[in-house]
Amino acid sequence: MTKIDESSTYERPPPAAATSKPGAESPLIRKLRNFRLFDRNCERELQQLFDRSSEFERHSDLVRDGDEVQQVFVLLSGWCARYKIVGDGSRQIISFLLPGDVFPLHATTTGQMDHGVAALTRCEVAAADASSFNNALLRKAKLAQAFWWATLADKGVLRAWVVNLGQRSAYCRVAHVICELNARLQMVGLSNNGCFQFPVTQEEIADAVGMTTVHANRILQQLRQDGLIKIEQKRLTILDADGLCELADFNSAYLNPV
Amino acid sequence: MTKIDESSTYERPPPAAATSKPGAESPLIRKLRNFRLFDRNCERELQQLFDRSSEFERHSDLVRDGDEVQQVFVLLSGWCARYKIVGDGSRQIISFLLPGDVFPLHATTTGQMDHGVAALTRCEVAAADASSFNNALLRKAKLAQAFWWATLADKGVLRAWVVNLGQRSAYCRVAHVICELNARLQMVGLSNNGCFQFPVTQEEIADAVGMTTVHANRILQQLRQDGLIKIEQKRLTILDADGLCELADFNSAYLNPV
DNA sequence: CGACGCATTGATTGGATTCAACTAAGGTGG
DNA sequence: CCACCTTAGTTGAATCCAATCAATGCGTCG
């Protein structure tokens, strides 16, 4: 867990929050506002809870497989990934964590991690003690519901990944992940019209969709050739949103439980 | 949603609960007892909540993709599967639902399903209104925590499936699913020493691990030839638990959050 | 008995991996 | 400032796992 002091050079939250003043203002709150019961009261509670912020450098582990959960994090800027190393040493990325995401969402104080969380870019997080986080959930039913809502959204994403990995071709799998990332980033204001910072390597994409780096490369080339996307200097642009969604069989509804 | 009257010929809960007296006694409660905060009080609450029981026949849908969630079910006996039909018409089984499992766990009353739940066998369920379920969770923090715990366990299973589908060979994938089912059935008393009712077709296994029926058949044959499992009349026996777990890179820890 | 669902087998095809080499970009230190 | 090294991306050829297509066996149930 290497902590660093400089500020992030990758994804930054929009100006308002870029100051990294302690408190989990912008991306998380923007996300939770999608949940109808979330109110000002909850917001205040959150800001008290996530009272310290810190930064992690690229490739550092925020949480390791097997760790006891002692802190809960909100990602303020940058990208992380849940991952698991399997027996033969290869890595599966289980999900991407984007600004506004909370992890690990273990309701019950302690508990061992069954996977790790790594920083894919330098990133900024706010943290709360797991115990005070849980106390807050017990005291404030609405807050608890808001986080349950977030957990359900998370589960929806996981189910979509199972479907993606189980049924779709390499080409469609990559397309689907791109659609998901775009939709999720849009929810926190980090994608404009299908255009967003895309700070991951092809190896990381490959680990997420269950294929080799070489193949991920060829698939991305094909997506570009087919005029569906464009990637320039770590910035991805969706050129044909309808085409990409149809190809990926993507429907964003699952990202927004009621 | 076809309702039937006869009793199940497949998985039966152990005698105590086989009476299908309304109330979600045995498998759910046995499972939730694994959660340390679950107490008698919660138990009573549950029994009042899930106050009606019914049966579904094999191949019927308990919930359909796109449905509004109006009821919450506990599976009392039999097996179900969450599934999703993708664009080209093929089906991915997202998870197996076993006795004691609750679904759909949407905390917030209504909400649209992004997948369906089908009965793989004739099965018996207890149901509660989504609204009263949610009220109960709001009133009883401990009960809410118990269900959050169950949700976390669920998420752990989903993550394990992502890893399984993404990284492992067909042979190991099937092995892993068998290990998971055994461990989960053991938690509700439905597996004895690696021996349990296995009422699914090879097509269903194939749909769960993302391969064709033909290939699932060959993999199962190989697992039998290698002396790892035995299947006789819908009953599976794990002959070499250590061998199977090692092969599958299986560690049951993820099934039991704290 | 015939029909149907499920399991099984064989032959062929093809998508993705593997192995290996090479290019391009960026950072570091002499 | 350039030589060197590292990381990320790209390309080609050979190989292999799993899909596909097609047919058959087998048991159950109406």
Side-chain angles (χ1 to χ4, degrees), chain B residues 93-110:
Chain B
I93 288 183
I94 299 166
S95 64
F96 289 109
L97 296 173
L98 308 178
D101 285 338
V102 180
F103 60 93
L105 264 176
H106 286 227
T108 60
T109 34
T110 56

Side-chain angles (χ1 to χ4, degrees), chain A residues 23-24 28-29 38-51 128 132-133 135-144 147:
Chain A
L28 173 60
I29 288 179
F38 189 77
D39 57 19
R40 287 253 154 236
N41 210 327
C42 295
E43 251 178 70
R44 239 172 290 126
E45 197 75 27
L46 275 184
Q47 279 163 15
Q48 283 167 22
L49 217 47
F50 291 93
D51 56 353
S132 47
F133 179 74
N135 286 336
L137 293 195
L138 280 172
R139 282 198 330 271
K140 304 276 182 179
K142 260 188 199 169
L143 200 61
F147 278 105

